[in-house]
Amino acid sequence: RDSLDELCELARSAAIDVVHEIIQRRPLDPRFVMGRGKLQSALITAMQKGAEMLVFDLNLTPSQVKALSDITDLKVLDRTQVILDIFAQHAVTREGKLQVELAQLRYLLPLLNIRQVALSRLTGGIGGRGPGETRLEIDRRRARDRIARLEREVEQLGRRRRLRRQTRTERNTPTLAVVGYTNAGKSTLLNHLTNSDVVAKDFLFATLNPVSRRLRFPREREVIITDTVGFIRNLPEDLLAAFRTTFEELHEADLLLHVVDASSPDIQPKMDTVLETIRSLELDDKPIITVFNKTDLCDPVEIAGLVKQYDGLALSALDRATFTPLLDL
């Protein structure tokens, strides 16, 4: 249920209007994902409600996409495609756009095998008789060439970013990185700590590129604070790989601020997802402060329990008066 609610939230962020939800408790059908009868009734409901697409809360295999496309004209999307679409809508910088295109191509490459047979017609003809190269092979080769080129460009931008980080390190300026589940309030916290105007919206993945700002403490002490891409459960491997240079920022950090949405009903699974991602990025040796945000939406007794249980601290990113314990720490 939590996972499906999150998919609805992802759909909202991708500007998809959700008209109906279905949960089926049974082993996954290797071909159609759902049972055949359930799928038929889903298609009838889709016709009645005028739906244009089916969105599945898991990552579909190429053969499942083909089987589903054979029995319905509706657009078939999976969780990864929705996330990729949100990324594509929110990418504004050159680096963000490159990384999104790279992730999309990596994701689509296996799907090129199942495109209509019509695409596999020979491109021979007069002056090119013989087996020739099929349309499909040309498509795949072009996609692979483009992936290689994008990887080079992303790496180049990563090198520039490393140079900028080196300058900061030489000045001995400590760095804090704000990490957390998507839409936990990381950008809002950064804005109010540093008087910045980083884009902060009530959407999943509003931040795609790391943003660094200076935070000045009393006694002329300065730190750099960096906002990062939010994490999400079942984050596609292709996305992690494409955003590699973005996550490199975290390796330079002296301290991680783990921002948690205290008003969320499923705090524990979200915290586990973030800590698991931190482990997979090999960052678990860094000191972490757990910050419970959005206390203005919660019961004070619950907040006190969370702070005690996880040895964290509580604040509301919208209320600067609550920042003192964090700044002291």
Side-chain angles (χ1 to χ4, degrees):
R1 181 74 243 179
D2 287 343
S3 189
L4 189 67
D5 288 344
E6 187 169 272
L7 184 70
C8 292
E9 192 59 30
L10 283 167
R12 183 179 78 86
S13 301
I16 296 170
D17 188 15
V18 180
V19 293
H20 192 66
E21 300 167 29
I22 295 173
I23 292 182
Q24 186 175 27
R25 290 181 176 80
R26 58 153 280 177
L28 278 186
D29 185 288
R31 193 160 173 223
F32 295 115
V33 187
M34 306 158 80
R36 199 147 216 197
K38 195 75 164 176
L39 184 59
Q40 294 293 353
S41 80
L43 295 177
I44 291 166
T45 309
M47 282 166 65
Q48 288 168 342
K49 293 184 179 279
E52 295 164 1
M53 56 181 80
L54 294 173
V55 185
F56 288 88
D57 186 29
L58 73 169
N59 294 331
L60 301 174
T61 64
S63 58
Q64 284 168 341
V65 174
K66 182 174 186 334
L68 289 164
S69 304
D70 286 346
I71 63 167
T72 175
D73 291 335
L74 294 175
K75 193 171 182 180
V76 176
L77 294 179
D78 63 10
R79 188 184 171 88
T80 301
Q81 281 171 295
V82 176
I83 293 176
L84 284 170
D85 191 69
I86 298 170
F87 273 50
Q89 288 178 37
H90 292 177
V92 284
T93 62
R94 177 170 158 68
E95 185 173 15
K97 287 175 181 171
L98 285 177
Q99 288 171 326
V100 170
E101 189 185 349
L102 181 56
Q104 283 175 328
L105 279 172
R106 278 193 180 139
Y107 179 77
L108 288 173
L109 193 58
L111 294 174
L112 279 177
N113 293 340
I114 58 140
R115 297 273 289 283
Q116 299 93 327
V117 185
L119 274 180
S120 206
R121 282 199 296 265
L122 295 180
T123 53
I126 296 170
R129 298 200 186 278
E133 186 176 24
T134 63
R135 178 82 244 154
L136 193 60
E137 280 159 0
I138 291 174
D139 281 354
R140 281 161 64 192
R141 188 163 48 81
R142 277 191 185 144
R144 277 195 290 266
D145 290 349
R146 180 81 182 138
I147 286 173
R149 191 174 142 208
L150 287 170
E151 278 174 342
R152 283 198 299 274
E153 288 189 41
V154 168
E155 186 51 47
Q156 208 172 348
L157 288 165
R159 277 203 295 274
R160 283 183 208 157
R161 181 174 287 172
R162 280 194 286 276
L163 278 171
R164 289 202 297 274
R165 279 205 304 271
Q166 215 170 325
T167 319
R168 292 207 296 255
T169 318
E170 281 164 7
R171 290 185 189 150
N172 288 332
T173 313
T175 311
L176 314 179
V178 186
V179 297
Y181 210 77
T182 178
N183 206 17
K186 299 183 292 299
S187 301
T188 309
L189 180 62
L190 178 90
N191 283 341
H192 288 161
L193 274 172
T194 60
N195 292 332
S196 311
D197 52 359
V198 175
V199 176
K201 292 181 182 167
D202 182 21
F203 275 131
L204 303 186
F205 299 115
T207 304
L208 283 193
N209 279 63
V211 180
S212 296
R213 295 286 183 268
R214 286 179 181 278
L215 175 61
R216 195 179 277 276
F217 285 114
R219 294 196 290 278
E220 292 307 302
R221 183 77 194 269
E222 261 193 358
V223 297
I224 300 284
I225 183 164
T226 303
D227 189 13
T228 56
V229 182
F231 301 146
I232 195 165
R233 68 191 103 187
N234 306 331
L235 188 69
E237 285 294 313
D238 295 336
L239 271 183
L240 265 180
F243 280 76
R244 191 183 67 247
T245 59
T246 303
F247 291 128
E248 278 175 9
E249 289 275 339
L250 298 176
H251 286 276
E252 304 296 320
D254 301 296
L255 174 69
L256 301 180
L257 291 185
H258 176 190
V259 179
V260 182
D261 176 358
S263 66
S264 168
D266 52 344
I267 285 187
Q268 190 60 57
K270 287 184 175 178
M271 288 179 72
D272 291 345
T273 299
V274 173
L275 296 172
E276 190 52 50
T277 312
I278 285 173
R279 265 196 297 278
S280 69
L281 293 167
E282 296 173 4
L283 296 164
D284 41 351
D285 56 335
K286 295 193 180 296
I288 297 179
I289 294 178
T290 307
V291 178
F292 292 100
N293 185 23
K294 306 193 185 181
T295 51
D296 47 320
L297 304 175
C298 306
D299 175 25
V301 179
E302 273 181 39
I303 290 292
L306 284 171
V307 167
K308 196 171 178 185
Q309 184 182 349
Y310 295 104
D311 191 24
L313 48 89
L315 53 79
S316 165
L318 298 171
D319 180 7
R320 287 201 171 97
T322 60
F323 291 178
T324 314
L326 173 64
L327 295 172
D328 287 347
L329 192 61

